[in-house]
Amino acid sequence: MNVSVSVITPSFNQAAYLEQTIQSVLGQDLPIEYWVMDGGSQDGSVEIIRRYANRLAGWVSEPDAGQADAVNKGLLRASGDVIGWLNSDDLYQPGAARRALQAFEQNTDAALVFGDVWSLDGAGKVINQMRYGAWGLQELMTFHIVGQPGVWIRRSALLAMAKPAQGEFLDLSYHYLLDHQLWLRLAQMGSMLYLGQPMAAARFHPAAKNVAHAAAFGQEAYRIVDWMQLQPGLQALFAANRRAIWGGAHRINARYLLDGGQPGAALRAYGRGLRCYAPAVLPELHRMVFCLLSLAGLGRLENVYRRLKRRRYEKGR
């Protein structure tokens, strides 16, 4: 049977969530070529994978060089026309694969399609919906971040971008914004299509990278700015949007510094962003206020705000 959709799950010591991730892929309403690339887990993950082995295209459990290496191993094996990458603590919405496949079939110039992503807490409760927009390459360059589990890739664009014989898909030197750097490369191969509906859910829990290593994300944003300036396909757009790009990088750095519990460093990053390109930063004025409150010893007010925001979200669903 010709399977048009492949999904790759990189995993390392995520037994608490892995089974739900696997079930969300295997529960899609069309056949999936599913690869699980485990990094040598010792927490019971392998036993979970074995329970589903007869429904997988294949799996490995062996030491690797990190998440990018694990995903690259899966990308080398994937044969579907459309490819999804779902981390081992995230979930697909029912029907997500079919909607992505149909979008690619109806938009033959699209290199990637993406939809909104629900935010879950460690217990699986929906706490927010990350909504995006009809973004393209310019928005990616100014650090409009698309949630990785909501993205689907056209395999032909991936092969045109990389050196598949060497497995050079994700850059192994990136550990935090590795997905964003990949989207930037793919968006040069074709258009981006926003589906305008939830496609996946991402967990926010203490062991997740976006929580445990929040402060490291901004430094990779600055690396990506340096990298963009050297890319022939991006140089003209970079020159036309230099201030907005730097402003966006400072905004992302500040956001993650604040999430990482460093309000003083976050406020300084926001200040750099305001001086560089205020329109990129002003939408996060409320976060700047949180920085000031935290520095004044009133950080508990932020927790009150977040609880109220969560309640408003839950009532509006």
Side-chain angles (χ1 to χ4, degrees):
M1 177 173 56
N2 180 29
V3 178
S4 298
V5 178
S6 300
V7 172
I8 298 148
T9 290
S11 181
F12 183 66
N13 288 339
Q14 291 280 9
Y17 307 112
L18 177 59
E19 187 160 24
Q20 293 177 50
T21 298
I22 292 173
Q23 290 174 347
S24 80
V25 176
L26 296 178
Q28 295 294 305
D29 59 355
L30 79 174
I32 301 286
E33 179 193 66
Y34 190 20
W35 298 91
V36 178
M37 301 288 109
D38 182 76
S41 296
Q42 301 294 321
D43 67 340
S45 293
V46 173
E47 288 72 17
I48 293 171
I49 297 169
R50 285 195 175 115
R51 289 206 293 270
Y52 295 90
N54 65 338
R55 301 178 64 187
L56 304 177
W59 64 281
V60 301
S61 183
E62 61 190 17
D64 55 39
Q67 185 182 25
D69 186 31
V71 176
N72 282 345
K73 289 179 182 180
L75 291 173
L76 280 170
R77 292 166 168 81
S79 64
D81 299 323
V82 173
I83 300 176
W85 156 19
L86 188 70
N87 290 334
S88 53
D89 51 358
D90 297 334
L91 304 168
Y92 279 143
Q93 297 290 341
R98 182 175 296 280
R99 293 196 295 273
L101 179 60
Q102 291 172 343
F104 278 114
E105 291 173 345
Q106 295 165 10
N107 299 270
T108 56
D109 64 332
L112 56 87
V113 302
F114 63 102
D116 297 335
V117 177
W118 285 352
S119 301
L120 307 180
D121 63 17
K125 184 178 181 180
V126 179
I127 56 176
N128 191 26
Q129 182 172 323
M130 294 179 280
R131 293 182 173 90
Y132 309 119
W135 299 343
L137 180 57
Q138 183 171 327
E139 285 76 20
L140 291 182
M141 293 177 69
T142 53
F143 292 93
H144 289 63
I145 302 296
V146 177
Q148 168 263 313
V151 177
W152 296 79
I153 301 166
R154 190 184 296 277
R155 182 167 175 264
S156 60
L158 186 76
L159 296 177
M161 173 207 75
K163 299 176 182 177
Q166 301 175 35
E168 295 179 4
F169 299 108
L170 285 163
D171 187 327
L172 297 184
S173 70
Y174 289 91
H175 301 286
Y176 304 102
L177 291 178
L178 64 167
D179 51 347
H180 192 73
Q181 200 252 3
L182 178 62
W183 310 155
L184 281 163
R185 291 159 63 201
L186 281 167
Q188 298 176 67
M189 302 293 106
S191 65
M192 297 171 55
L193 179 67
Y194 174 53
L195 300 180
Q197 57 185 306
M199 294 287 281
R203 289 186 195 271
F204 291 78
H205 56 89
K209 282 198 303 184
N210 47 23
V211 176
H213 304 284
F217 281 76
Q219 296 309 307
E220 288 204 343
Y222 294 137
R223 278 193 60 206
I224 288 174
V225 173
D226 292 337
W227 168 82
M228 283 192 284
Q229 296 181 72
L230 302 176
Q231 304 308 304
L234 301 178
Q235 286 174 345
L237 266 177
F238 190 95
N241 297 277
R242 178 182 297 272
R243 292 177 60 234
I245 290 168
W246 276 109
H250 290 311
R251 181 191 72 244
I252 290 300
N253 185 30
R255 180 186 300 174
Y256 281 109
L257 285 169
L258 181 58
D259 289 346
Q262 301 182 49
L267 193 60
R268 290 191 291 274
Y270 276 127
R272 290 192 294 272
L274 286 169
R275 290 190 296 273
C276 186
Y277 190 72
V281 180
L282 286 176
E284 297 202 357
L285 182 61
H286 62 292
R287 285 178 169 265
M288 292 180 244
V289 173
F290 293 156
C291 291
L292 291 169
L293 290 173
S294 296
L295 292 171
L298 299 173
R300 64 184 182 277
L301 294 179
E302 178 180 353
N303 295 328
V304 173
Y305 169 82
R306 291 185 185 278
R307 286 197 297 270
L308 291 173
K309 182 179 178 182
R310 182 182 301 183
R311 289 174 186 169
R312 287 198 303 270
Y313 172 75
E314 291 171 347
K315 289 179 180 178
R317 287 186 61 207

